[in-house]
Amino acid sequence: MTFYEVLLFVHIFSAILGLGPGFVMIYVVTKATTMTELKHAYIIRNRLHIFVMVGGTLLLITGLWMGFIHTYVLTTGWYVVSLTLYLIALAFGPLVLSPRSKPIKALLKEHNGEEIPAEYYRLSKQLFFYERIENVIFLIVIALMILKPF
């Protein structure tokens, strides 16, 4: 097995372990009916996010490394568009998602009682809208990586 093949193997597994959990993070919290369930769901969601961060970082590193080994891909459309979309999706975290998740985290920490407040639904709707956009971006990147259409 060549070094490039090892990188490719790590790259593919990173995509599965890093992006896969990201696609279910919304679903994990949407079935909660009480604050206890919701708080527990967010604990699970935070644990899944660790996989997303580690896998996503390895995905970027291995993708760039493979590009520097086979420099011809640096000029292909699918690689450039994939990398650009991936970096945009990564920027969603600190620039778009984090500011929308902080009020939810505060609400979960401060709220007493078992009834999920209406404010949570309003805040989560905004957050999940942008998470779905990010997921679509990742799906486009995956499709470009598989098909290499241009």
Side-chain angles (χ1 to χ4, degrees):
M1 188 175 250
T2 67
F3 181 65
Y4 184 86
E5 290 170 333
V6 171
L7 284 176
L8 182 60
F9 180 83
V10 172
H11 187 72
I12 293 168
F13 267 80
S14 297
I16 294 166
L17 295 173
L19 296 180
F23 290 118
V24 299
M25 287 178 63
I26 295 171
Y27 183 78
V28 168
V29 296
T30 57
K31 299 302 174 189
T33 57
T34 66
M35 280 302 288
T36 299
E37 290 175 0
L38 189 62
K39 288 176 182 179
H40 182 70
Y42 269 89
I43 290 169
I44 294 169
R45 180 180 160 92
N46 287 337
R47 289 181 181 163
L48 288 172
H49 191 248
I50 293 168
F51 285 95
V52 172
M53 290 187 303
V54 172
T57 301
L58 277 174
L59 194 57
L60 179 62
I61 291 168
T62 56
L64 289 171
W65 205 339
M66 288 186 299
F68 291 126
I69 290 172
H70 290 235
T71 55
Y72 69 91
V73 300
L74 298 174
T75 60
T76 60
W78 66 267
Y79 186 89
V80 173
V81 172
S82 294
L83 182 57
T84 302
L85 289 174
Y86 193 81
L87 292 173
I88 289 168
L90 286 183
F92 262 55
L95 299 177
V96 178
L97 302 179
S98 182
R100 285 166 179 79
S101 66
K102 285 179 183 175
I104 293 172
K105 290 177 183 177
L107 185 140
L108 292 172
K109 189 175 186 177
E110 298 166 4
H111 183 76
N112 294 319
E114 281 299 305
E115 187 175 333
I116 299 172
E119 179 70 1
Y120 166 76
Y121 294 108
R122 186 186 68 75
L123 293 170
S124 65
K125 184 177 179 181
Q126 291 174 357
L127 173 64
F128 298 162
F129 172 78
Y130 290 104
E131 284 186 4
R132 286 182 181 100
I133 292 172
E134 183 179 47
N135 286 343
V136 168
I137 292 171
F138 283 134
L139 287 171
I140 293 168
V141 170
I142 291 168
L144 289 170
M145 291 284 150
I146 294 169
L147 300 174
K148 297 173 180 52
F150 50 91

